[in-house]
Amino acid sequence: MSSVETTATEEHGLEAGQDNVRILGLDIHNPVFFVSAAIIVGFVIFTLIFRDSVGPALSELRVWLTSTFDWLFIIAGNLFVLFCLAIVLSPLGRVRIGGAEAMPDFGYAGWFSMLFAAGMGIGLMFFGVLEPMYHFSNPPLGIASPVSAGVVNPEAVEAAREAAMAATIYHWGLHPWAIYAVVGLSLALAAYNKGMPMSVRSAFYPIFGERVRGWIGHIIDIMAVFATLFGLATSLGFGAEQALAGFNFLYGVPVTDTMKVLLITGITAIALVSVVAGLDAGVKRLSEINMVLAVLLVSFVFALGPTMEIAAGFFTNTWSYVTHLPALSNPFGRTDDEFVHGWTAFYWAWWISWSPFVGMFIARISRGRTVREFIVCVLLIPTIASIFWMSAFGGTALSQFLNDGYQGVQETVAAYTPELSLFRMLEPMPLAGLTSLIGIVLVIVFFVTSSDSGSLVIDTITAGGKVDAPVAQRVFWATFEGLVAIALLLGGGLAALQASAIATGFPFALLLLLMMVAAWKTLLSESR
């Protein structure tokens, strides 16, 4: 331990693994590991036994949360963005994570690959075509739909296209990455500048003080475990649905519950190998493979799709996003309830449920960066990448529809099967079989990367902030990520997965608001 860490530990009395118990070769935090594991194991068993009842109950819970607390999710998302921008523009941005002499552990290529792959890889694959097409047919903000009963109104097309791309980018741009930035910055400052354990409770020390060692801290960490596990399960469920749909589309593999279970089991087994390999050999290498495949796929679509439309669309879509942002982020007086409840509230809860996992993961790999550099890279660069991705994939799908003389409306818009949307877009392009296979591989590799990254993070939380806990603990959590995804898919499909993400994201949204206050206090003390 460095002299800086020693001094910090003397100030706050917190040390990684100090309350751990060691049994059967394991090194686990008491009571966080036992409570989290017991509840999650019980949830899996209960869901599988009462699968016919769990799905409807979770769906009702989702409707209640999104319709009752949509304003809270939207206001919180806005505050996270404003908080990040304020830090970038203030002198506090000069603070360096890890201290003035700290050097980065990873180069830009590896760092960016890991944070982007962990942040939203599977989601971009699943929603990159689906969401722009859906919002085009069902525009938000009271804009008229250009498609009605299989008939297209040409006069409504342009307004709907702009609204569709703006709404999609809104869900994948500044707001979700601001959520990740808040958590990542808070944990990085607590761990590397204050010498506290890499655990979610550490970020709240400026508010709760020594009480984070007790049940306040235990509850925070347990909530972080639940949010992470169920947020990951939602993404893994989306990935399994899409990969299996792709195999069915290309090779006729039947889409059955048995095949879903086998697919998740197989991919979880691959993730276990990566988890055992560790951060550098496993997660970093897979993340870089992800980036190469993603760049190849988006480059292919850009080159062989409507290239000029995509290039121009990148700028027009960005402008549409900017001009529609005030209306899209307005929490009050909305008339587009289906959009706010079914999309925005779900997305914000999903990102928030992912935030302990992604935030801690990017905190672990961001030592040596200035706070300004951290926020700019975590907030702005992925947003730009997401805009280009949506412009390429969603823009190509819209172009295929609009340039087809509005033929086949039912097939291209109204009846778009969610998990098949990517493959339907690739179908009329050259080398469709090869690019569709690359798409499936990308989904699987994103699946593996998310699983093993999440396992490392949950293991760190349940090991009292220790980043070198026994491998068996990582294996346990990676296994249960797969089991939770299987249980929810069998118990209620994608609706149950979405409901679980919202149910765990809602209480954690309140913690994130407190985390902003804690991060601000830490930055003020560091700047002095």
Side-chain angles (χ1 to χ4, degrees):
M1 184 181 293
S2 68
S3 59
V4 173
E5 289 174 325
T6 302
T7 302
T9 302
E10 290 173 354
E11 290 177 357
H12 54 63
L14 297 175
E15 190 174 346
Q18 64 186 25
D19 296 320
N20 284 14
V21 294
R22 294 163 182 83
I23 55 174
L24 301 175
L26 304 179
D27 188 357
I28 50 185
H29 190 276
N30 180 35
V32 173
F33 181 94
F34 296 108
V35 174
S36 302
I39 293 177
I40 289 166
V41 170
F43 174 84
V44 170
I45 295 172
F46 179 84
T47 303
L48 292 176
I49 293 175
F50 300 101
R51 52 188 289 185
D52 294 334
S53 304
V54 169
L58 286 174
S59 296
E60 290 179 10
L61 177 63
R62 174 193 172 179
V63 171
W64 181 75
L65 285 173
T66 55
S67 60
T68 306
F69 298 104
D70 55 327
W71 59 272
L72 174 63
F73 286 119
I74 294 175
I75 290 175
N78 295 340
L79 290 175
F80 299 143
V81 174
L82 294 174
F83 174 76
C84 290
L85 295 178
I87 291 176
V88 168
L89 297 175
S90 77
L92 297 177
R94 293 196 297 264
V95 173
R96 186 171 295 275
I97 297 172
E101 304 301 322
M103 298 295 293
D105 295 327
F106 301 97
Y108 277 111
W111 183 49
F112 180 68
S113 296
M114 284 190 285
L115 74 89
F116 192 76
M120 49 183 58
I122 290 177
L124 286 175
M125 295 297 295
F126 192 90
F127 290 102
V129 174
L130 166 67
E131 189 169 352
M133 294 298 290
Y134 182 89
H135 294 324
F136 175 77
S137 182
N138 306 274
L141 303 176
I143 295 171
S145 172
V147 181
S148 177
V151 178
V152 175
N153 176 11
E155 296 179 359
V157 165
E158 189 57 30
R161 190 199 67 80
E162 291 180 3
M165 295 308 301
T168 301
I169 296 168
Y170 170 56
H171 291 149
W172 296 86
L174 294 175
H175 284 73
W177 286 99
I179 293 169
Y180 296 158
V182 167
V183 179
L185 178 62
S186 301
L187 295 176
L189 291 171
Y192 296 132
N193 293 71
K194 298 302 184 182
M196 286 187 273
M198 182 64 79
S199 194
V200 178
R201 72 173 71 201
S202 298
F204 293 89
Y205 187 86
I207 295 176
F208 296 117
E210 290 295 326
R211 285 175 291 176
V212 297
R213 282 196 63 182
W215 272 102
I216 288 179
H218 300 335
I219 292 171
I220 289 171
D221 279 349
I222 291 168
M223 288 175 63
V225 170
F226 291 161
T228 301
L229 197 70
F230 287 102
L232 275 169
T234 302
S235 298
L236 301 187
F238 280 129
E241 291 274 0
Q242 188 175 27
L244 187 56
F247 282 126
N248 173 264
F249 182 70
L250 290 176
Y251 309 114
V253 176
V255 179
T256 63
D257 286 345
T258 301
M259 290 306 301
K260 291 175 186 177
V261 171
L262 290 175
L263 182 62
I264 294 176
T265 301
I267 295 176
T268 301
I270 299 171
L272 287 174
V273 175
S274 180
V275 162
V276 172
L279 185 62
D280 285 309
V283 179
K284 180 173 179 288
R285 189 169 299 162
L286 278 174
S287 298
E288 290 171 345
I289 293 172
N290 266 348
M291 289 302 295
V292 171
L293 290 175
V295 168
L296 285 174
L297 187 59
V298 76
S299 298
F300 172 86
V301 173
F302 178 74
L304 296 183
T307 304
M308 297 307 297
E309 288 185 36
I310 294 172
F314 174 80
F315 297 101
T316 58
N317 294 336
T318 302
W319 180 245
S320 295
Y321 169 52
V322 172
T323 55
H324 286 82
L325 186 58
L328 289 168
S329 57
N330 172 34
F332 303 114
R334 301 284 289 269
T335 58
D336 50 351
D337 288 344
E338 192 275 336
F339 174 80
V340 174
H341 299 163
W343 289 88
T344 302
F346 161 66
Y347 267 130
W348 281 193
W350 190 18
W351 301 143
I352 288 169
S353 70
W354 263 56
S355 64
F357 146 50
V358 180
M360 184 177 293
F361 184 72
I362 62 177
R364 284 186 61 179
I365 62 177
S366 298
R367 180 167 49 188
R369 309 288 178 185
T370 67
V371 169
R372 182 174 291 113
E373 181 185 19
F374 174 91
I375 291 180
V376 168
C377 288
V378 172
L379 189 63
L380 297 183
I381 293 177
T383 295
I384 293 171
S386 296
I387 293 174
F388 184 76
W389 184 279
M390 294 302 181
S391 298
F393 286 80
T396 297
L398 285 169
S399 177
Q400 289 170 346
F401 165 63
L402 295 174
N403 293 330
D404 193 30
Y406 310 134
Q407 298 300 312
V409 172
Q410 296 300 321
E411 289 75 20
T412 55
V413 178
Y416 242 47
T417 303
E419 56 270 20
L420 276 178
S421 55
L422 170 66
F423 309 111
R424 291 294 186 189
M425 184 273 290
L426 294 172
E427 187 178 20
M429 300 179 70
L431 304 174
L434 177 61
T435 54
S436 295
L437 180 59
I438 291 175
I440 294 172
V441 172
L442 250 178
V443 170
I444 291 174
V445 179
F446 273 130
F447 194 146
V448 172
T449 306
S450 298
S451 179
D452 56 18
S453 302
S455 300
L456 290 172
V457 167
I458 295 176
D459 184 41
T460 300
I461 297 172
T462 57
K466 296 187 73 169
V467 296
D468 57 350
V471 172
Q473 294 170 215
R474 286 182 251 160
V475 171
F476 173 85
W477 290 114
T479 302
F480 267 88
E481 283 167 23
L483 288 175
V484 169
I486 289 171
L488 287 170
L489 270 179
L490 296 179
L494 293 180
L497 290 163
Q498 291 174 327
S500 67
I502 293 172
T504 53
F506 168 68
F508 212 79
L510 303 177
L511 288 181
L512 258 64
L513 293 171
L514 286 178
M515 197 175 279
M516 283 196 304
V517 177
W520 186 263
K521 287 187 173 183
T522 303
L523 282 171
L524 288 175
S525 69
E526 285 296 298
S527 66
R528 289 194 291 266

